Amino acid sequence: MNLRLIGIGAGVLIVLSLPLAGAIAEPDFAGQEDGKGGGLFSALGLSDSSRTSPAAPARSAPTAGPQQPGPAEQPRTDSHCGPELSSPHGVEAQTCVLVGEGQTWGRSYYRNTSGRALDAVLTVMGPAGRTVQIRCAMGAGDEPGLCETPKEASAGDPASYSAVAEFAVPDDEGELLLRSGSNSPAPGDG
């Protein structure tokens, strides 16, 4: 008979401890309020005005345990890009002017399927004759790549900037294969 009482007592303790264990753990479902409340006070039928009730849907973040920081907010970058262009010589490119955090720079996305190494010259032109230029070597592979000028402090309206990328054979003749600009008209636009 003592074993039966011990077994019943252990069962009652387990049944009573389950809601308490769940209330102590108190998972945070980030705004998924089900109207039942939560936490130890609610499980025991006690009220705590600082806790969420059906009349107050906002939940406070749990204070126990380490807090995981969210991802860092990325700075906003605006871009003005010309159309994607391709040449019969196997070069594809799109050139853009980018503006962010008070800086302006040029970027040209390219793909070289010509089968030979090429040179790219990217030039960014700004107000008052400001110019930044960079030369980029393009390998013979057909993997996409990019050529980018250094970032410079912005001066004036971002719309007053333009960028041009020229793709050529790196030899004495420097045959121009493609010119791509941030303000180029789309093919067929004139």
Side-chain angles (χ1 to χ4, degrees), residues 4-87:
R4 187 186 307 181
L5 287 176
I6 293 173
I8 292 173
V12 168
L13 284 176
I14 291 173
V15 170
L16 291 176
S17 66
L18 287 177
L20 291 176
I24 292 170
E26 187 181 347
D28 181 16
F29 292 106
Q32 298 179 6
E33 179 64 41
D34 60 4
K36 296 178 185 174
L40 182 59
F41 290 113
S42 297
L44 295 175
L46 302 173
S47 175
D48 181 357
S49 62
S50 67
R51 291 300 212 179
T52 301
S53 65
R59 287 184 60 113
S60 61
T63 57
Q67 296 294 317
Q68 296 295 323
E73 187 174 319
Q74 297 296 318
R76 179 178 170 87
T77 302
D78 293 321
S79 65
H80 174 72
C81 298
E84 295 179 27
L85 300 175
S86 62
S87 78

Side-chain angles (χ1 to χ4, degrees), residues 68-142:
Q68 296 295 323
E73 187 174 319
Q74 297 296 318
R76 179 178 170 87
T77 302
D78 293 321
S79 65
H80 174 72
C81 298
E84 295 179 27
L85 300 175
S86 62
S87 78
H89 305 287
V91 180
E92 302 170 2
Q94 182 179 30
T95 302
C96 306
V97 171
L98 295 100
V99 178
E101 295 187 315
Q103 296 183 312
T104 304
W105 67 101
R107 180 182 294 166
S108 188
Y109 302 94
Y110 64 81
R111 186 166 179 229
N112 176 11
T113 62
S114 70
R116 58 187 169 178
L118 301 175
D119 278 341
V121 176
L122 176 59
T123 306
V124 175
M125 295 152 288
R130 295 171 55 135
T131 303
V132 176
Q133 189 175 71
I134 190 165
R135 180 178 300 271
C136 299
M138 299 170 54
D142 67 349

